[in-house]
Amino acid sequence: MAELEAKIYEHALKNPNGIDNDYLNDALPEHTLEDIVNGVNRLLQSGQLELLQVGRTILYRGVHRSEMERMSELTSDERLVYKHIENSGGEGIWVRTLKQKTNLLQGVITRCLKVLEQRALIKSVKSVKHPTRKLYMLINVDPSSDVTGGPWYTDQEMDSDFIDQLARQCYQFIYAHSFPRHNTKAVYSANHTGYPTSSQIKRFIHENRITNVDLSTANIEELLTMLVYDGKVERVAPVFDMGAGGGGRPAATSNPRTDWMYRALRVNVRDSPLTDIPCGRCPVFDRCSDSGAITPAKCEYFRKWLAF
Amino acid sequence: MYIEQANLSKRLIRECYGPIVETVAGVLIRDGRLPLGLLIKNTKLSAREVKQALVVLIQHGVVTHAASKEGAGRRMVTYYSANTRVVLRQQRLGLYLALVEERMGKEGVAVFRTVMENGIMSIGTVKERLGSSEWSQAAQIKLDAATSKLVRERFIVAVAPGDTVTRIDKTMEAEAVELDKLAVLPTAKELLTIRRMLNDRAEQEYSNTTVVGMKRVAEEEADGHVSKVVVGPDGRTLMVANGTNGADGTNGSESQDTVDQTQCFRVYYDRLDVFLRNQQLVNYFADKYNAGAGAIVKAMLRITESRTKTCRDRRSEVLSVAQVINQLPQDAPLADAVDTGSDMFFQDLAASATSGNGTAKGGSGNGALTPAKRTELAFALLEVVRADASGIVVKVDDRGGGQYQLNFDRAASALRDQSLDTLVHEKFGSLHARIVRVLRDKQKLDEKSVATAAMMPIAACRERLHDLALAGFIDSYEIARTVDRNPSRMFYLWYINPQKQTRAAMRYIFKSMTNIFARLDKELAARAPLVAKTKRADVAADQSLLTDSEKNELAALSAAQTRLEVANVRLDGMLLAVHDISPEHASF
């Protein structure tokens, strides 16, 4: 029997995604199903195998010896909490969610978490989406970008300086490609296709080593969208290939996600007529009237403005 | 009605018509529609003064009247109501005069100014005021031509007796006439049908292109030889045109349109706003692209001007490329405007347009551009402005190189959004402006989504959202998660309400304008003795009677006046962009 158990254990370790009864039956034809099932039960009891459920299928996964040693020191509650934390992966799990899934009392969960942290099996991280929540994950797991916020966050806080500097670099690159070099007052024609795309901008950042942070095309597009909302850049639709059978069908190799081009706008320094006068920026504008302590006739801001 | 708008209106009326008229208009603005008796009581003026003030206000279109039957005896009571929109136009008079002078010349602006100053006046009376009977014949012909042009282009329009009646009363009267035709009380559907019919009638009347106030006059001399002096094509020189009778001896008399001397006219301010809006549109494209793009749009707008009555029109007529190219001035800055990169697409278009019906009148242009090249550049620029994200220039057809149309609805939105974004940017900062653009693009969002889209920390985003909400530029929408609508368990979505945003900006504008007037009064009052001294005959004749410090004070007063008046004009330009040019708000 020990030999059968050893074979089952070996097969389980070879398949980290788990094995089921059918697989074992095929792999060990010399043994009966009853023997195999008994062997599996003994391995489950000893902790060398653990159960997984994928959909409606029950699978068995091999537990490594190091893990077994770690688990053998834990109580069943602690083991349960550990398993749920392990299953959450890089997303982490919140205490309240843990309570819902395990149905354990709050005090028990708190004690288990404390023990696991002391044994350096788990760690707590803060999520940028929910700053007041503490999430728990395994100590050797890297938090996902949803938790850390991605490249825009440093130490759980949004790095505005980094974003602004990167945006400035992107804008300068786009500006350099938005107007003809020989005559910056001119514009390109409507069917010009030389405006930079997000993939080209990403390549520019990577080749020039503007930042060490690994940025995806989606990150670059977030930055470019921010520039669009700042009114510095506008998104230009991809030009259809007029030669492709007429009717303006897009080219066969076009990727609708990355083919949007970006064109810089001429940002003319323009002031609003309202803010050109002192009233536009006056901190007591709402209290100003014809009579009372604050009136246009007595206004100090007007006096300075007219004397300027 | 805003308090700020009412205060500003009263201030303007006082400046234009004096304190008594201001009192009467102020009561009408504050209390709304009033009969004469109540008006006298509320103003605490004499009946004579109130009646004289009302005549002035009705003459200038500020007040309208309407009669209705009241009481058991069904006596007729006349109600008066004020229209602040007309009053606020007073600030734009300088711009209107400059516009008229540019297009109609000195004679035209003289006629226009006289009509404007008097509210309603017949052309015969205008000529008497100008003393044109003592002018030379050439000058009189020029004056007649300028007057005809003013009427044809609707800068001044004929006045009918019903024009001074309150519009809503006219509508109600017309509705009452229709209802009287029915034997029984109308159902809701019938009432709706009647109202739709009256609306359609009003629209038809508005769309009517007949120019009222012109008449045809046959001109023929005794020997049957027709000759006349006409104004040349440049609008300034005079030339003699000779014509002969027909071959069969019948009268070959020629006729020309002249203005009816007895017809009364008033200034059509809504029409003039069209030109101011067009100027803003040209500046929009010139700023965004370059002067060449501005020239193309200017040419398109010039063609549409004659058919565009007021800012109410949502779309222009359809224009062909040949029309646009023909309208372009020879010195239009096309040469350095667009880089076609030897694109065959535009060269082919240019070739097809010039070889077909579209005879592009290029001439030799400036020395550098051949007609073909000029056409090619014009095509390319047309496509550039058509591809603009605002969607103002729309291509409706591809025949003959392309047929284009201007969408004034989108133009008004683009100009309004640009003004408001600049205001938010200058008043609050670039990050606030970014939030406004995010909300305009995405409609309703909660604060987390706004922070993600705008790429800013959520705490800072929340603070900025509340700043904008307090100022009235954005609004919030609540969605309850629980039945008891517990505030702590609600979704709060932020969004932009364009009407509310416009109203917030208008309140700021009106109040700022009132403050400027108040400050102007203060500056003048502080130097009142000095100003009185300068008006003395001896000082007016000899400025050296003033001391150096007095001269410095006068210079400071002049600088302050200029600065404040320019600020007022700029604020009025912003009001035009934000509100007056919108087709929903433009009156007709």
Side-chain angles (χ1 to χ4, degrees):
Chain A
M1 280 302 169
E3 190 190 325
L4 172 60
E5 284 156 25
K7 282 182 189 172
I8 292 170
Y9 185 57
E10 198 183 315
H11 278 291
L13 285 177
K14 271 189 212 164
N15 295 283
N17 290 334
I19 52 176
D20 59 359
N21 287 336
D22 293 333
Y23 175 91
L24 285 171
N25 219 6
D26 294 334
L28 304 166
E30 65 275 16
H31 296 278
T32 64
L33 187 61
E34 193 183 341
D35 288 339
I36 290 170
V37 167
N38 287 337
V40 164
N41 278 334
R42 276 194 287 277
L43 286 169
L44 280 169
Q45 274 173 2
S46 66
Q48 286 174 291
L49 278 187
E50 62 176 2
L51 283 174
L52 288 177
Q53 185 171 0
V54 178
R56 291 192 179 187
T57 317
I58 304 288
L59 300 172
Y60 312 114
R61 193 174 73 87
V63 179
H64 291 277
R65 291 203 189 281
S66 56
E67 202 178 324
M68 267 177 58
E69 282 162 15
R70 241 188 348 250
M71 292 300 203
S72 62
E73 296 165 358
L74 302 176
T75 63
S76 57
D77 290 340
E78 287 162 11
R79 218 176 289 145
L80 182 64
V81 167
Y82 181 85
K83 281 292 165 197
H84 279 287
I85 292 173
E86 189 185 25
N87 289 341
S88 68
E91 298 294 322
I93 188 166
W94 189 26
V95 174
R96 201 181 285 184
T97 317
L98 207 52
K99 193 179 168 191
Q100 280 170 0
K101 286 190 173 178
T102 58
N103 280 328
L104 293 170
L105 295 172
Q106 180 66 41
V108 172
I109 289 179
T110 310
R111 182 177 49 78
C112 294
L113 287 171
K114 196 171 166 189
V115 165
L116 290 170
E117 272 187 295
Q118 276 170 356
R119 293 206 178 151
L121 292 173
I122 63 170
K123 63 184 176 190
S124 67
V125 293
K126 274 196 185 167
S127 166
V128 293
K129 282 188 184 173
H130 308 283
T132 52
R133 288 184 192 177
K134 228 189 220 180
L135 301 176
Y136 291 95
M137 59 182 66
L138 294 186
I139 200 142
N140 53 353
V141 167
D142 289 326
S144 69
S145 60
D146 275 350
V147 172
T148 59
W152 311 127
Y153 284 80
T154 307
D155 298 332
Q156 307 292 322
E157 283 200 6
M158 184 171 266
D159 196 345
S160 304
D161 288 336
F162 171 64
I163 292 171
D164 288 341
Q165 284 188 21
L166 202 57
R168 203 172 306 129
Q169 295 288 335
C170 292
Y171 174 68
Q172 283 172 0
F173 178 76
I174 295 170
Y175 193 94
H177 289 80
S178 296
F179 305 104
R181 282 180 197 217
H182 60 277
N183 180 9
T184 50
K185 283 186 188 170
V187 293
Y188 284 118
S189 61
N191 54 0
H192 178 68
T193 53
Y195 298 121
T197 62
S198 52
S199 46
Q200 288 170 347
I201 293 168
K202 182 184 163 192
R203 195 162 59 234
F204 160 74
I205 290 173
H206 179 71
E207 283 170 4
N208 288 280
R209 293 188 190 159
I210 290 172
T211 175
N212 297 329
V213 177
D214 188 27
L215 296 168
S216 65
T217 311
N219 294 141
I220 298 295
E221 282 182 5
E222 281 176 12
L223 208 58
L224 296 173
T225 305
M226 186 191 84
L227 284 172
V228 170
Y229 288 136
D230 275 340
K232 290 181 177 171
V233 149
E234 71 175 2
R235 209 177 266 135
V236 178
V239 174
F240 287 137
D241 183 3
M242 296 304 288
R249 283 199 301 269
T253 55
S254 70
N255 180 351
R257 190 176 161 76
T258 56
D259 272 354
W260 284 91
M261 299 183 288
Y262 293 86
R263 187 179 81 88
L265 297 173
R266 290 186 206 280
V267 180
N268 292 314
V269 177
R270 194 187 295 127
D271 57 342
S272 169
L274 203 51
T275 50
D276 193 31
I277 57 171
C279 298
R281 297 175 205 263
C282 180
V284 291
F285 180 74
D286 291 325
R287 289 190 280 163
C288 184
S289 65
D290 283 337
S291 57
I294 305 171
T295 67
K298 296 179 201 167
C299 180
E300 193 56 27
Y301 300 122
F302 255 122
R303 188 189 65 77
K304 284 182 187 167
W305 181 68
L306 288 170
F308 184 67
Chain B
M1 170 65 64
Y2 316 111
I3 295 170
E4 297 86 4
Q5 187 179 8
N7 290 341
L8 180 62
S9 303
K10 283 192 284 190
R11 180 68 178 75
L12 287 168
I13 291 173
R14 186 170 76 216
E15 193 158 299
C16 294
Y17 308 116
I20 297 175
V21 178
E22 184 214 350
T23 308
V24 171
V27 167
L28 282 173
I29 289 169
R30 185 192 69 200
D31 296 341
R33 218 173 130 92
L34 288 175
L36 184 62
L38 273 177
L39 196 51
I40 294 168
K41 183 183 165 196
N42 291 355
T43 55
K44 297 182 177 50
L45 295 169
S46 68
R48 188 160 173 265
E49 281 174 334
V50 170
K51 285 179 188 174
Q52 285 175 343
L54 280 174
V55 164
V56 170
L57 290 168
I58 290 172
Q59 176 82 1
H60 287 271
V62 177
V63 163
T64 49
H65 59 89
S68 66
K69 284 188 182 162
E70 280 190 357
R74 307 301 287 162
R75 62 191 179 98
M76 293 297 283
V77 179
T78 304
Y79 283 87
Y80 301 93
S81 38
N83 183 353
T84 52
R85 205 188 153 86
V86 174
V87 178
L88 293 171
R89 288 270 167 72
Q90 301 297 317
Q91 300 188 97
R92 249 171 249 167
L93 294 183
L95 288 174
Y96 292 150
L97 287 170
L99 182 75
V100 171
E101 185 168 4
E102 184 194 328
R103 286 166 186 261
M104 305 286 170
K106 281 189 227 153
E107 294 79 16
V109 80
V111 172
F112 183 88
R113 184 196 278 273
T114 312
V115 174
M116 187 182 78
E117 284 172 354
N118 291 280
I120 299 172
M121 193 172 256
S122 67
I123 296 302
T125 316
V126 169
K127 285 182 177 175
E128 272 175 38
R129 287 285 171 95
L130 294 174
S132 63
S133 55
E134 290 160 22
W135 296 2
S136 65
Q137 197 193 6
Q140 286 187 23
I141 290 169
K142 271 192 185 176
L143 184 71
D144 286 339
T147 310
S148 297
K149 200 174 173 192
L150 279 171
V151 174
R152 268 200 312 277
E153 298 206 9
R154 293 190 177 87
F155 281 45
I156 55 177
V157 288
V159 178
D163 286 358
T164 52
V165 177
T166 312
R167 188 183 298 282
I168 199 163
D169 282 88
K170 277 198 279 195
T171 312
M172 282 164 48
E173 203 180 305
E175 197 178 300
V177 164
E178 294 297 320
L179 289 175
D180 283 343
K181 293 177 187 170
L182 302 173
V184 293
L185 287 173
T187 62
K189 200 171 171 187
E190 281 170 352
L191 194 59
L192 195 63
T193 311
I194 288 169
R195 284 180 181 161
R196 269 201 200 128
M197 183 201 60
L198 291 171
N199 204 30
D200 290 343
R201 201 185 288 168
E203 287 290 326
Q204 264 180 6
E205 208 177 297
Y206 171 75
S207 312
N208 190 355
T209 53
T210 311
V211 176
V212 179
M214 301 288 283
K215 60 180 183 180
R216 296 227 143 188
V217 173
E219 302 231 354
E220 185 187 342
E221 294 184 359
D223 60 357
H225 185 79
V226 175
S227 66
K228 59 186 177 191
V229 178
V230 296
V231 178
D234 63 355
R236 294 182 194 281
T237 53
L238 298 172
M239 51 190 224
V240 176
N242 288 321
T244 53
N245 280 336
D248 58 357
T250 56
N251 280 338
S253 61
E254 295 193 16
S255 61
Q256 60 179 24
D257 291 339
T258 57
V259 179
D260 186 352
Q261 304 292 304
T262 56
Q263 173 69 52
C264 286
F265 289 88
R266 63 172 171 87
V267 173
Y268 194 12
Y269 293 115
D270 293 319
R271 170 91 171 117
L272 294 167
D273 282 346
V274 169
F275 299 101
L276 296 180
R277 178 201 60 192
N278 290 353
Q279 186 55 48
Q280 293 204 355
L281 267 177
V282 169
N283 291 344
Y284 173 84
F285 280 100
D287 285 344
K288 193 166 181 183
Y289 297 100
N290 50 35
I296 288 283
V297 173
K298 189 172 182 178
M300 294 176 83
L301 289 166
R302 269 288 168 125
I303 300 168
T304 64
E305 267 166 16
S306 56
R307 295 273 183 95
T308 307
K309 258 190 160 177
T310 66
C311 294
R312 254 187 94 214
D313 296 346
R314 290 177 188 269
R315 287 193 170 233
S316 71
E317 57 183 301
V318 177
L319 311 169
S320 68
V321 177
Q323 278 179 292
V324 176
I325 293 172
N326 283 343
Q327 185 69 33
L328 277 172
Q330 291 300 321
D331 58 352
L334 301 181
D336 294 329
V338 64
D339 182 355
T340 55
S342 311
D343 199 321
M344 292 305 295
F345 177 69
F346 292 110
Q347 289 174 13
D348 290 344
L349 266 180
S352 69
T354 50
S355 64
N357 289 335
T359 50
K361 189 177 70 180
S364 59
N366 52 27
L369 286 179
T370 60
K373 184 69 183 170
R374 192 162 174 271
T375 307
E376 183 194 332
L377 291 172
F379 264 120
L381 279 171
L382 260 173
E383 281 298 306
V384 166
V385 297
R386 183 200 62 81
D388 184 59
S390 62
I392 295 172
V393 178
V394 177
K395 192 171 191 177
V396 293
D397 205 345
D398 280 321
R399 285 181 299 170
Q403 308 232 314
Y404 295 84
Q405 195 179 39
L406 291 158
N407 188 323
F408 294 127
D409 235 335
R410 287 187 199 155
S413 299
L415 290 172
R416 183 194 67 217
D417 291 345
Q418 185 188 60
S419 280
L420 292 175
D421 287 349
T422 310
L423 171 61
V424 170
H425 185 275
E426 290 297 309
K427 195 170 170 63
F428 297 103
S430 57
L431 296 175
H432 290 77
R434 191 190 296 169
I435 290 176
V436 166
R437 288 194 186 97
V438 167
L439 288 174
R440 189 177 293 128
D441 184 36
K442 303 274 190 190
Q443 305 298 317
K444 293 185 176 63
L445 286 180
D446 65 324
E447 64 182 14
K448 256 186 229 164
S449 308
V450 174
T452 309
M455 295 189 78
M456 59 178 74
I458 197 162
C461 181
R462 187 179 302 135
E463 198 184 318
R464 291 182 179 115
L465 283 167
H466 283 95
D467 285 342
L468 290 168
L470 205 62
F473 289 103
I474 62 174
D475 210 349
S476 63
Y477 186 81
E478 298 160 2
I479 299 176
R481 281 198 276 187
T482 55
V483 178
D484 62 351
R485 299 184 70 84
N486 188 349
S488 61
R489 292 190 62 77
M490 268 198 183
F491 286 118
Y492 293 97
L493 301 180
W494 299 95
Y495 72 106
I496 286 194
N497 182 338
Q499 286 82 19
K500 197 170 175 183
Q501 208 179 35
T502 305
R503 284 197 297 266
M506 282 169 72
R507 264 199 296 270
Y508 279 112
I509 293 171
F510 290 140
K511 187 162 181 186
S512 301
M513 281 177 166
T514 313
N515 289 350
I516 286 176
F517 276 117
R519 186 69 195 194
L520 203 52
D521 287 344
K522 184 259 175 187
E523 296 291 326
L524 284 167
R527 298 170 181 95
L530 178 59
V531 173
K533 185 177 175 182
T534 55
K535 289 183 181 161
R536 274 181 6 209
D538 55 339
V539 175
D542 182 10
Q543 293 285 311
S544 63
L545 291 173
L546 295 169
T547 62
D548 284 341
S549 65
E550 283 173 343
K551 284 181 187 168
N552 289 342
E553 273 299 303
L554 279 174
L557 174 64
S558 172
Q561 261 181 310
T562 306
R563 205 155 183 187
L564 290 167
E565 282 165 6
V566 165
N568 234 2
V569 169
R570 290 193 71 211
L571 280 172
D572 183 67
M574 188 178 172
L575 183 66
L576 182 82
V578 161
H579 180 261
D580 291 350
I581 59 171
S582 165
E584 292 126 18
H585 300 128
S587 61
F588 54 113

